[in-house]
Amino acid sequence: MIDHPAFARLGFGVTGPHASLIGSVSQTRDLVHRAVDLGVTLFDTGPAYGAGRAEKRLGQALRGIRRDTVFVCTKAGIHAGGHRDFSAGAIEMSLKESLARLQTDHIDLLLLHGPAEEELTDKLIRHLEAFKARGMIRHLGICGRGPELEAATRIAAMDAIMAPLNPELSTQDLDRLERCKKAGLSLIGIEVMKGSAKSARLPLTPSSAWYFARHIKQSLLGRNAAPSGRSPHESLSWALDHPLSDSVISLTTRLKHLDANARQAGLEGSPPSP
């Protein structure tokens, strides 16, 4: 279980457009600064997003902000080049590279990015425990969508899981999350807007171009979620109010959406409703 003052109810994902060459460095910085002002102090990123670009941008954005006022979460296992390697040596190298890109001496939460249970070797866990003892990692967890999440319940060093949390989940998925919670793991919800996105339109801004391109790609691959009939506001409320969730990650490129999400989460720094 995670106990940290900056482990916010609502987190901000420095992924997607914030890892793209299309996205602006200054836009990411402005959103991160606004998030901190609002009390959205949990930031999620990873080395696989933009081949390390997302981590680097988050590190740049956090310069000048007191380190103990934010909670930085990154991942390992799917590396900056997109290749998969959960060997102890590869995870150690990934961690050190992430620390350099993020310009910090520690990671508040390191998530293993979708490991198979057989990849969670004793040697890897010993290495992670050593990094934890040295203060390089404060908390450990697993990010995934299936049975790999329950592997965290059998490893004493694990503190959290990151997993999809939306009304499209099956009873089996929700039961799995409940078992993880009962084992004392914090749950960070992702993909909370699944099925509630607005129809893709021709891009008018660099950021909307990224979303438009993703929609086209997902359509070609047959991966776009069927419309749920819920608005983004309703989807976020469902995830925030769910009894299993400890935190929910949001992704946006617009300050007004960030403000609205913070209000929904009831954060003290958020502005009053218009």
Side-chain angles (χ1 to χ4, degrees):
M1 186 70 72
I2 295 174
D3 182 15
H4 189 290
F7 183 63
R9 190 77 187 87
L10 181 70
F12 182 76
V14 183
T15 63
H18 300 291
S20 168
L21 289 171
I22 295 175
S24 145
V25 173
S26 61
Q27 180 188 50
T28 300
R29 182 195 62 231
D30 292 346
L31 282 158
V32 167
H33 289 184
R34 179 62 173 161
V36 172
D37 290 342
L38 294 170
V40 183
T41 49
L42 163 61
F43 296 97
D44 172 53
T45 189
Y49 308 138
R53 192 177 300 110
E55 287 184 323
K56 188 173 182 179
R57 287 187 178 181
L58 178 57
Q60 292 170 336
L62 290 175
R63 277 194 305 225
I65 294 174
R66 269 181 47 191
R67 182 64 182 84
D68 62 344
T69 64
V70 294
F71 188 95
V72 176
C73 168
T74 194
K75 304 176 182 73
I78 308 297
H79 302 275
H83 65 284
R84 178 188 182 91
D85 191 341
F86 286 89
S87 67
I91 296 295
E92 178 175 359
M93 181 176 295
S94 178
L95 171 61
K96 290 179 177 178
E97 290 173 348
S98 290
L99 289 169
R101 284 190 290 264
L102 288 163
Q103 302 179 45
T104 184
D105 62 354
H106 71 278
I107 302 298
D108 294 296
L109 172 61
L110 182 71
L111 293 164
L112 297 178
H113 202 167
E117 187 154 9
E118 60 270 19
E119 293 173 309
L120 298 171
T121 63
D122 290 341
K123 181 177 181 180
L124 171 60
I125 301 307
R126 286 197 303 271
H127 266 62
L128 292 172
E129 289 174 331
F131 298 141
K132 210 174 181 182
R134 290 163 59 186
M136 297 168 68
I137 304 169
R138 301 296 164 85
H139 300 89
L140 285 167
I142 289 177
C143 175
R145 292 179 172 77
E148 70 273 14
L149 295 168
E150 284 194 271
T153 67
R154 298 185 285 275
I155 301 173
M158 294 292 173
D159 305 294
I161 59 169
M162 177 179 281
L165 185 64
N166 56 65
E168 308 305 311
L169 295 182
S170 67
T171 300
Q172 181 183 24
D173 292 329
L174 289 170
D175 287 347
R176 180 184 296 118
L177 297 182
E178 186 170 2
R179 288 192 293 272
C180 289
K181 284 285 292 184
K182 285 181 177 178
L185 298 169
S186 295
L187 169 61
I188 303 171
I190 56 173
E191 299 178 10
V192 301
M193 303 292 190
K194 185 176 181 180
S196 62
K198 296 179 180 178
S199 300
R201 298 177 180 176
L202 289 174
L204 300 176
T205 67
S207 295
S208 59
W210 182 89
Y211 285 106
F212 184 78
R214 182 183 66 170
H215 177 82
I216 297 301
K217 179 180 178 181
Q218 296 291 80
S219 294
L220 292 172
L221 295 173
R223 294 178 183 171
N224 275 327
S228 65
R230 293 181 305 274
S231 69
H233 177 91
E234 291 168 332
S235 294
L236 181 58
S237 288
W238 187 94
L240 286 167
D241 295 340
H242 198 283
L244 294 179
S245 77
D246 293 294
S247 183
V248 171
I249 300 298
S250 62
L251 171 62
T252 185
T253 57
R254 298 187 180 186
L255 289 168
K256 68 176 183 178
H257 292 165
L258 180 60
D259 288 354
N261 292 347
R263 280 196 302 272
Q264 249 183 287
L267 297 178
E268 293 180 3
S270 57
S273 297

